[in-house]
Amino acid sequence: NAGVTQTPKFQVLKTGQSMTLQCAQDMNHEYMSWYRQDPGMGLRLIHYSVGAGITDQGEVPNGYNVSRSTTEDFPLRLLSAAPSQTSVYFCASSSTETNTEAFFGQGTRLTVV
Amino acid sequence: DAKTTQPNSMESNEEEPVHLPCNHSTISGTDYIHWYRQLPSQGPEYVIHGLTSNVNNRMASLAIAEDRKSSTLILHRATLRDAAVYYCILTSSGGSYIPTFGRGTSLIVHP
């Protein structure tokens, strides 16, 4: 059981470049979400989805786009990378039950120069 | 979701018990209490959760106050591998389960 898989693990971008961070889960979870974590900080919610075709903004959505065309995949797009987006990004998935756990990927470490 | 308050950091010696507190004075009757931990350079991982009664699993125990305004995560014998940031999170049964994280408690374990 792979759980939540994020790719790539590391990425260096130049300012203004675009890229997509991939996230896939094989647990048939309805809920998926993206977080960023800056040094010494907790995780901040960027975007989330409660099912295929449904997405919503979290705490820090600016500069990021998402889509959810399938239950399994939830990619995060940076349209024009900025140095302020240098961070570690985590994807998570969970079922519709609030008394169960969320599963997190291992993270993507992104550096924008 | 209601907010939680945790100490920024705590220290423990190896093989001693650790009690990590969390205050959640605005918790509603249907909010679950979840604990996650994040080891260095890894994503958060689930530790334990509960609603009203104390809970035990292979990783830890969760003690919930009778009025539910606070809870304590108990690691019975800390190991060096338990050094991590521990997050206390509330989730509402009426909403979508998307965890919202604070800064958590950084646990330092001394050999």
Side-chain angles (χ1 to χ4, degrees):
Chain A
N1 190 348
V4 178
T5 303
Q6 288 184 237
T7 56
K9 287 186 170 52
F10 301 93
Q11 183 71 49
V12 178
L13 287 179
K14 293 183 179 179
T15 297
Q17 284 186 317
S18 64
M19 80 158 294
T20 299
L21 278 63
Q22 301 291 344
C23 176
Q25 53 95 4
D26 60 0
M27 296 169 282
N28 202 33
H29 285 165
E30 289 295 319
Y31 297 157
M32 295 187 74
S33 48
W34 276 103
Y35 300 83
R36 62 175 288 173
Q37 185 172 35
D38 300 317
M41 305 286 288
L43 282 75
R44 292 186 291 170
L45 183 64
I46 304 171
H47 285 285
Y48 64 97
S49 168
V50 298
I54 306 169
T55 63
D56 207 344
Q57 297 181 349
E59 181 186 356
V60 288
N62 292 342
Y64 308 95
N65 281 350
V66 291
S67 60
R68 184 96 179 271
S69 57
T70 67
T71 299
E72 295 77 21
D73 300 298
F74 191 44
L76 178 72
R77 297 185 186 85
L78 285 71
L79 297 179
S80 179
S84 61
Q85 293 177 305
T86 294
S87 189
V88 181
Y89 292 84
F90 291 100
C91 177
S93 75
S94 54
S95 75
T96 55
E97 301 293 327
T98 52
N99 60 348
T100 59
E101 62 186 282
F103 294 83
F104 288 80
Q106 288 301 298
T108 295
R109 186 174 297 273
L110 176 67
T111 302
V112 183
V113 298
Chain B
D1 292 329
K3 294 194 71 172
T4 63
T5 304
Q6 300 177 252
N8 289 335
S9 65
M10 293 186 65
E11 298 187 29
S12 173
N13 293 320
E14 201 173 9
E15 298 190 4
E16 290 183 354
V18 180
H19 291 232
L20 298 167
C22 180
N23 288 321
H24 28 78
S25 58
T26 60
I27 191 170
S28 74
T30 56
D31 284 344
Y32 282 85
I33 303 160
H34 290 251
W35 283 81
Y36 286 79
R37 73 177 186 181
Q38 186 176 22
L39 301 171
S41 301
Q42 294 191 26
E45 64 176 350
Y46 167 83
V47 178
I48 200 167
H49 76 276
L51 183 61
T52 56
S53 302
N54 294 345
V55 184
N56 300 298
N57 67 20
R58 63 176 179 82
M59 290 181 69
S61 296
L62 176 60
I64 301 172
E66 196 168 337
D67 64 5
R68 299 205 335 120
K69 294 186 176 183
S70 65
S71 61
T72 302
L73 179 70
I74 302 167
L75 307 179
H76 295 285
R77 289 182 68 220
T79 69
L80 296 179
R81 199 185 172 280
D82 292 323
V85 178
Y86 288 79
Y87 298 98
C88 170
I89 296 167
L90 303 183
T91 60
S92 170
S93 63
S96 60
Y97 180 34
I98 306 291
T100 302
F101 290 81
R103 287 203 173 196
T105 297
S106 178
L107 176 64
I108 299 166
V109 180
H110 298 289

